[in-house]
Amino acid sequence: MKIQPKQLKIIAIAFASVLALVILLATLAYNRREALFNLALQKAISKAKQDYGLNVKIKSAKLQGIRSVSFDDISIVPEQRDSLLYIHHLQLGIKLLPLILGDIKLSHITLTQGKLNLVRKDSLANYDFLFRKKGSRKRSEINLSKTANNLLNQVLYKVPEVMNVKNFEIKFKDKIGTINFYTSTATIIDNQVSSTIYLNKKQAIWHVAGSVYPSKKQLNLALFADGRPVELPYIQQKTGLKLSFDTIRTQMKKVSHSGSDLIIAGSWAVKNLLINHPKVAANNVVVAHASIDASMRFEKKAIGLDSTSVIYVNNVAVNPFIRYTLSPNKIYELKLHTKFIDAQRLFDAFPRGMFESLDGMQVAGRLQYQLNLYLDSTQPDSVQFSSSLNQTDFRILKWGKVNLKKINSAFTYTPYERGKPMRDILIAPENPNFTPIDTISAYLKNALLTAEDPSFFSHHGFVEAAIRKSIATNFEKQAFKRGASTISMQLVKNVYLNRQKTLARKIEEMLLVWLIENEHLSSKKRLFEVYLNLIEWGPNVYGITEASRFYFAKQPSNLSLGESIFLASIVPRPKSGLRFFEPDGHLRTTLRGYFKLIGGLMAKRGTVPSDNNAYGFYDVRLKESLRHIPSSGSDSTKVDLEDEGDLFEPIL
């Protein structure tokens, strides 16, 4: 369509009129900018007082042009709390175009002499207004992707292109202690970040260095210290966790979108990470180098680590997949996968101080690991779990600190009680209390296998079905109520490892079980024989011979079905054995259900005939010399088996 000259003239006049109006309004706004600024500032101060209980005072505030504002002597004091913030001088530069579009992006920050004072006294803190809910808001449907994107943008918008901070202090104080961070200079110049931080008045000197490109959504920052590792003493005081490292680095490489999903690609790396905590390991655990190349995906109702991510621990690569779905059901997913790698390379990658028994071990062949976990919180009994360490031509060339074959010959076992050794027990025929497996009652062997590990002679150290049941039960109870230890795992724990309950010891236990079972370092029969001759069955009662004599004044070969089921029942709680007897030596009736359960399972396996009389329950009698002896508990007259949770259930 051809526009006529007359129409062009009308459009030009209209455009000129609108432009003139915009210029007029802009001129009026500029001329009144000081008044408008002061009005907005007073409104913000009043809102801080009304919504958060903050007393904000500013000695002077000035506009400098249309893109910069300067403040002097700012103080923020929450009502009836310690002073929170003081800044002597602050100048902020604001980008004009984003401001017109409704976003506040900083172009520069200049700060001279300031202090952020964070104080917690009991349950009160001078910063708890940050977590205060403002009125009643209609709860909107959560969108993790949108929330993460908004939060990321808000953080990056507040990173200036130019920054110059001088003499700024952050102090945190609570009942544990005080921690103080002080920087004399912190700058961003030409996208390069540099800062020196003094910890607790030069107790340590830290440095932050790297680069940041807010508009590209990229950063690369490193934290390190002068001449020593970065240490966090406050965390150790508060949690008992000793943590230090030489350098830690974080990098955000790319932010992108796939449909409505937000994807953040980045990496994190740490050198010479030292961890010491009584629940992690007995010693310092040192990781020379660890890093992760991560691809984090934020979906509408889920967050996860994509399978393209790679975790490196001392040059061994692991591909993880982690996903947490928030709704409609909470779902937990975890997968770990490695390629086949040189076995010695894997053993050399173990963190120093984590697996003492494996120190110095030399191996050959190749290994590959896979783990899969899927748990729907609404259906915990349907949890999916699998774990496998696969091998090709794997073999042990040299033992580490512990010879795993020692179990095949005579050795000395030392049980511990509350960290103290009880006595030395020789596991060999030379010990009169040692009983060869072929002379132990078949009832006892079958009852113990049924209760503790029915598939012992066929599995390879682990029972995945038992692990799945353990995960489901512990998730439902929100506490550790059920284990999944096989006889192999219990034996390794007793023979080769200390009794400390740490994460490192549990992982080491599983590795040793795999080595013994995979390499067939001992026969199943020998493992079961050793197990029967060293496990605890009562206060300072170890091995089946001592147990048979202690409770029934019998030899292991003469144990009846009922006596065998009773002894199997107390393996998970050996010091409670005497609690299950009446003063006349009969068993308390609360144990009868257990007899029917284990006896019924034994009958199904064909090891005993079916019995309607509770499988020997009524025939069990405690030896006369122990009758009328109260238990060591505070109430020796009551036994509530329901309090034992799933301990009375067989492993499967």
Side-chain angles (χ1 to χ4, degrees):
M1 183 180 72
K2 187 176 180 181
I3 300 177
Q4 300 297 322
K6 187 176 182 180
Q7 292 174 318
L8 280 174
K9 186 177 181 180
I10 294 172
I11 293 172
I13 293 172
F15 178 77
S17 300
V18 171
L19 181 61
L21 180 61
V22 170
I23 293 174
L24 177 63
L25 292 175
T27 303
L28 291 173
Y30 181 78
N31 290 332
R32 297 198 62 220
R33 69 189 188 282
E34 197 76 38
L36 292 172
F37 170 70
N38 289 329
L39 181 63
L41 185 61
Q42 291 303 317
K43 189 174 181 180
I45 291 173
S46 298
K47 185 175 178 61
K49 175 76 171 180
Q50 180 180 345
D51 291 350
Y52 299 106
L54 300 178
N55 296 305
V56 180
K57 294 183 179 180
I58 302 174
K59 183 178 180 181
S60 66
K62 298 178 181 178
L63 280 172
Q64 298 178 338
I66 61 174
R67 295 190 300 171
S68 183
V69 59
S70 176
F71 302 93
D72 288 322
D73 293 327
I74 305 170
S75 69
I76 301 177
V77 182
E79 288 186 355
Q80 299 180 346
R81 301 284 194 277
D82 294 86
S83 175
L84 177 66
L85 178 68
Y86 171 79
I87 297 176
H88 174 62
H89 176 74
L90 176 65
Q91 184 176 349
L92 301 175
I94 301 172
K95 293 184 178 181
L96 186 58
L97 182 59
L99 183 62
I100 294 174
L101 297 176
D103 290 325
I104 298 177
K105 290 186 178 181
L106 300 180
S107 60
H108 70 269
I109 292 178
T110 299
L111 187 154
T112 304
Q113 193 176 340
K115 182 175 182 179
L116 177 63
N117 187 45
L118 305 172
V119 180
R120 170 167 287 281
K121 296 178 180 178
D122 298 323
S123 60
L124 300 177
N126 67 342
Y127 51 86
D128 52 14
F129 67 90
L130 295 170
F131 312 103
R132 190 178 303 163
K133 295 181 179 179
K134 296 186 298 179
S136 59
R137 291 183 176 180
K138 185 178 180 180
R139 188 174 180 180
S140 58
E141 185 178 3
I142 191 168
N143 186 322
L144 293 176
S145 175
K146 186 176 180 180
T147 301
N149 187 65
N150 292 339
L151 180 61
L152 178 65
N153 287 336
Q154 289 303 314
V155 171
L156 291 174
Y157 288 168
K158 302 307 181 287
V159 177
E161 293 178 348
V162 178
M163 182 180 77
N164 188 7
V165 174
K166 293 182 179 180
N167 302 324
F168 188 74
E169 178 184 8
I170 300 175
K171 184 177 181 181
F172 177 78
K173 183 178 181 181
D174 66 2
K175 64 180 181 181
I176 303 296
T178 302
I179 186 168
N180 181 286
F181 301 95
Y182 171 78
T183 180
S184 57
T185 59
T187 62
I188 299 177
I189 301 174
D190 294 331
N191 302 110
Q192 299 303 303
V193 179
S194 178
S195 177
T196 298
I197 302 169
Y198 297 91
L199 175 67
N200 294 337
K201 297 182 179 180
K202 297 187 178 182
Q203 176 183 337
I205 302 174
W206 296 356
H207 299 281
V208 177
S211 59
V212 58
Y213 297 87
S215 61
K216 297 180 180 179
K217 298 182 179 180
Q218 295 177 350
L219 60 84
N220 189 344
L221 299 174
L223 171 65
F224 55 94
D226 273 351
R228 58 186 294 182
V230 174
E231 297 177 333
L232 305 171
Y234 177 81
I235 292 179
Q236 184 175 0
Q237 293 173 4
K238 190 173 182 66
T239 67
L241 172 64
K242 181 181 179 181
L243 188 69
S244 69
F245 52 83
D246 286 352
T247 305
I248 191 168
R249 181 179 296 276
T250 181
Q251 184 177 11
M252 186 164 65
K253 301 176 181 178
K254 183 180 180 181
V255 178
S256 59
H257 294 270
S258 177
S260 61
D261 296 349
L262 174 70
I263 301 173
I264 302 177
S267 66
W268 293 264
V270 63
K271 287 186 177 179
N272 290 326
L273 173 66
L274 183 149
I275 300 173
N276 186 306
H277 191 277
K279 291 186 178 180
V280 175
N283 310 306
N284 289 340
V285 174
V286 180
V287 182
H289 182 269
S291 64
I292 177 172
D293 289 330
S295 178
M296 294 189 66
R297 179 180 289 266
F298 296 85
E299 304 171 34
K300 183 177 181 180
K301 297 182 180 180
I303 180 174
L305 196 65
D306 195 82
S307 58
T308 57
S309 304
V310 186
I311 297 174
Y312 297 93
V313 179
N314 297 335
N315 297 319
V316 169
V318 180
N319 290 102
F321 171 80
I322 303 171
R323 191 167 186 264
Y324 171 60
T325 302
L326 192 62
S327 65
N329 303 331
K330 290 184 178 180
I331 298 175
Y332 307 86
E333 297 174 75
L334 170 64
K335 293 181 181 180
L336 295 176
H337 169 79
T338 71
K339 297 178 180 179
F340 271 98
I341 57 178
D342 180 76
Q344 188 62 55
R345 181 179 166 192
L346 175 62
F347 275 63
D348 291 342
F350 292 150
R352 191 169 69 249
M354 194 164 186
F355 308 134
E356 291 185 68
S357 63
L358 302 179
D359 286 351
M361 179 175 283
Q362 294 181 10
V363 296
R366 296 169 67 79
L367 294 171
Q368 183 253 348
Y369 181 69
Q370 294 186 94
L371 179 143
N372 177 56
L373 171 68
Y374 181 95
L375 174 63
D376 186 331
S377 61
T378 63
Q379 304 176 56
D381 289 336
S382 298
V383 61
Q384 299 174 25
F385 175 85
S386 64
S387 174
S388 61
L389 182 60
N390 305 310
Q391 59 90 17
T392 300
D393 299 326
F394 178 83
R395 59 195 183 278
I396 299 172
L397 304 178
K398 179 185 175 183
W399 300 111
K401 287 186 177 181
V402 175
N403 184 341
L404 299 183
K405 278 192 172 182
K406 79 171 188 176
I407 201 170
N408 294 323
S409 56
F411 69 94
T412 300
Y413 167 62
T414 305
Y416 281 75
E417 182 73 32
R418 296 179 182 175
K420 296 181 180 180
M422 297 295 290
R423 56 190 168 99
D424 291 338
I425 301 173
L426 179 64
I427 307 298
E430 291 78 11
N431 180 354
N433 287 331
F434 179 86
T435 304
I437 191 169
D438 291 333
T439 61
I440 297 174
S441 166
Y443 288 139
L444 185 281
K445 290 183 286 189
N446 288 321
L448 192 56
L449 286 171
T450 301
E452 290 292 304
D453 194 350
S455 58
F456 170 71
F457 281 96
S458 60
H459 68 57
H460 297 289
F462 309 97
V463 180
E464 287 187 354
I467 297 174
R468 287 193 289 271
K469 180 63 176 176
S470 174
I471 293 171
T473 300
N474 296 333
F475 180 83
E476 287 181 303
K477 303 289 187 181
Q478 293 295 298
F480 187 79
K481 293 291 186 180
R482 182 190 180 103
S485 290
T486 61
I487 285 176
S488 302
M489 296 169 71
Q490 295 178 49
L491 191 59
V492 162
K493 176 177 66 177
N494 282 283
V495 175
Y496 299 106
L497 302 174
N498 60 54
R499 301 305 298 272
Q500 293 174 333
K501 295 182 178 180
T502 65
L503 175 63
R505 199 225 65 193
K506 191 63 180 178
I507 298 174
E508 187 175 13
E509 175 188 310
M510 292 187 287
L511 284 170
L512 294 184
V513 168
W514 184 88
L515 288 169
I516 290 172
E517 294 272 8
N518 181 76
E519 292 300 289
H520 307 291
L521 300 180
S522 184
S523 69
K524 288 282 192 175
K525 183 176 180 180
R526 173 59 179 174
L527 293 175
F528 194 33
E529 180 179 65
V530 172
Y531 177 78
L532 290 169
N533 278 279
L534 61 73
I535 61 171
E536 185 180 11
W537 254 299
N540 201 24
V541 177
Y542 296 92
I544 187 58
T545 301
E546 293 184 14
S548 302
R549 293 173 181 167
F550 178 77
Y551 291 103
F552 308 118
K554 286 186 175 182
Q555 291 298 319
S557 59
N558 297 325
L559 290 170
S560 68
L561 174 59
E563 291 164 344
S564 297
I565 294 178
F566 166 76
L567 289 174
S569 76
I570 64 172
V571 168
R573 66 205 72 74
K575 289 182 173 58
S576 301
L578 293 178
R579 293 175 56 203
F580 298 103
F581 289 97
E582 299 285 358
D584 65 356
H586 285 95
L587 286 171
R588 298 182 185 273
T589 56
T590 45
L591 198 57
R592 184 171 50 202
Y594 180 83
F595 270 65
K596 291 181 178 180
L597 171 65
I598 298 300
L601 291 172
M602 292 173 70
K604 287 182 180 179
R605 300 178 68 192
T607 58
V608 297
S610 182
D611 181 5
N612 293 325
N613 200 30
Y615 295 93
F617 171 81
Y618 298 102
D619 299 328
V620 178
R621 294 291 301 277
L622 183 66
K623 72 179 183 182
E624 191 169 352
S625 60
L626 290 180
R627 298 174 194 174
H628 306 291
I629 297 178
S631 70
S632 58
S634 59
D635 185 349
S636 62
T637 64
K638 294 182 180 179
V639 179
D640 186 358
L641 298 188
E642 292 182 359
D643 289 341
E644 302 294 344
D646 292 309
L647 291 176
F648 272 92
E649 293 186 24
I651 190 171
L652 261 187

